[in-house]
Amino acid sequence: MGSIATHFSTFLFLFPIGIRRLFCSFSLYLKNPSHYRSKPWFFSEPRWKNLDLYALLIIVPIASFSDLVLFLSFSGHPSYRFSFFQQGAVIFFFWALLLLIIFRDYIDTLHINESFVFVLAGVCFLVEYWLNGNGFSGVSGCVYGLLGGLTLICACSCLYLSIKPTAFVAEFFLSSGIIFKGTWVLQAGLNLYTDVFGLKGCSKLSVLPRQDKADVKCDIEEDSLRGIALMNFLFIGHAIVVLILVSGLFGLLSCNQNLRWGESSGSLLATLESESMLRRPLSELEIE
């Protein structure tokens, strides 16, 4: 549960992360498909360029702490109040995962296997899937049920990558799933928590005192059924848009090598420098 603000902030977190993972994984795969290997996080060189990761380290715990404050201060329906605690706990788990990824890359003495990091990421997604959709019914239950399916896809992709990190298809589903989750969370916030984009014949989501589950309040049952059908239709539309976006990004990177991640820095630059260092002694020997 939450509000349009929490759903919009979640979109701002998930969508850029998914686009970045897709951009980096496509670049590495197009560079050398036979040597492709997925990573928990695609770090850029020099390290100061990883500003998005550093920003997440600051913003994510603030979001988790905000949900905890709402849980302690909210005096409304118990189900609605406990949802803040669940949401804060999920955010905290992902923040701990980000810390582990950074410590693994920046501290050489920590010998943490990448497969272990992918397993933890899969567990975090499974926890989110388990908590997602609790306390919802009707139209809202349908919306968050679809979101739970996307979360399960991300969890399965992470667990498969822990076994086979060279599986580009699993990385594709993970990155695309994160993008899809971001767009669908925004759609859920617009349709369930606002009156402007609300469903016809239904008011925004609310929890009645004598009900254990939350849902949008519809005038008649036909409005509720029409709302469920509309949300399923919008879900298919989101899937098509994400597929077009992903295909367009892959086509753009395959046609323009200069746009790929890591083509002008990082490991490729180090390779070019090492080759130049090898050529220099040879030229000096020829002069002598």
Side-chain angles (χ1 to χ4, degrees):
M1 299 187 71
S3 62
I4 180 60
T6 57
H7 284 70
F8 183 71
S9 60
T10 303
F11 164 76
L12 293 179
F13 289 153
L14 294 177
F15 189 79
I17 292 176
I19 290 292
R20 187 184 188 279
R21 284 199 67 89
L22 209 61
F23 174 72
C24 296
S25 59
F26 278 174
S27 299
L28 292 178
Y29 181 79
L30 290 171
K31 181 179 178 181
N32 196 336
S34 60
H35 292 167
Y36 172 79
R37 185 181 182 89
S38 182
K39 296 180 178 298
W41 189 273
F42 296 95
F43 285 93
S44 301
E45 293 293 341
R47 291 183 174 180
W48 62 265
K49 289 186 176 182
N50 301 292
L51 296 177
D52 51 349
L53 179 60
Y54 304 144
L56 288 175
L57 286 177
I58 299 174
I59 298 174
V60 171
I62 295 176
S64 178
F65 180 75
S66 300
D67 286 329
L68 180 60
V69 171
L70 290 174
F71 166 72
L72 296 175
S73 60
F74 191 77
S75 58
H77 196 280
S79 300
Y80 191 75
R81 181 184 179 215
F82 189 67
S83 66
F84 289 113
F85 176 78
Q86 293 176 333
Q87 188 172 342
V90 171
I91 295 174
F92 177 80
F93 289 150
F94 280 103
W95 180 63
L97 179 65
L98 288 176
L99 287 177
L100 180 63
I101 291 174
I102 284 189
F103 289 157
R104 178 188 175 278
D105 187 77
Y106 283 67
I107 302 177
D108 297 333
T109 56
L110 291 178
H111 301 287
I112 302 176
N113 198 305
E114 287 186 351
S115 298
F116 177 71
V117 179
F118 275 120
V119 169
L120 289 183
V123 171
C124 290
F125 279 116
L126 288 176
V127 171
E128 181 187 0
Y129 171 76
W130 178 60
L131 297 177
N132 182 72
N134 290 337
F136 294 97
S137 62
V139 178
S140 59
C142 171
V143 172
Y144 286 107
L146 294 172
L147 182 62
L150 297 175
T151 304
L152 189 60
I153 291 176
C154 294
C156 294
S157 300
C158 288
L159 294 177
Y160 189 79
L161 286 172
S162 67
I163 302 173
K164 191 176 180 181
T166 57
F168 175 73
V169 175
E171 176 62 41
F172 171 81
F173 278 108
L174 174 60
S175 303
S176 302
I178 294 175
I179 296 174
F180 204 162
K181 275 170 62 67
T183 61
W184 189 244
V185 163
L186 180 60
Q187 186 71 58
L190 292 174
N191 292 126
L192 299 181
Y193 295 93
T194 62
D195 293 324
V196 178
F197 297 97
L199 301 173
K200 183 179 180 181
C202 302
S203 59
K204 63 181 181 181
L205 189 143
S206 61
V207 184
L208 298 178
R210 296 182 180 181
Q211 291 183 352
D212 295 332
K213 293 187 178 182
D215 192 16
V216 294
K217 185 179 179 181
C218 300
D219 297 333
I220 56 178
E221 187 178 356
E222 292 182 358
D223 292 333
S224 178
L225 295 176
R226 183 174 60 248
I228 293 175
L230 177 61
M231 296 311 297
N232 287 324
F233 177 77
L234 289 175
F235 186 82
I236 297 174
H238 276 257
I240 295 174
V241 171
V242 171
L243 182 60
I244 294 174
L245 176 64
V246 171
S247 302
L249 180 60
F250 186 83
L252 180 64
L253 293 177
S254 61
C255 296
N256 197 332
Q257 184 175 352
N258 296 327
L259 295 177
R260 298 176 189 173
W261 176 80
E263 289 295 335
S264 59
S265 61
S267 58
L268 181 60
L269 182 60
T271 303
L272 294 176
E273 291 178 351
S274 62
E275 290 178 355
S276 63
M277 292 295 292
L278 290 174
R279 291 173 183 173
R280 190 177 302 171
L282 291 176
S283 60
E284 292 177 355
L285 289 174
E286 291 175 357
I287 293 174
E288 293 180 355

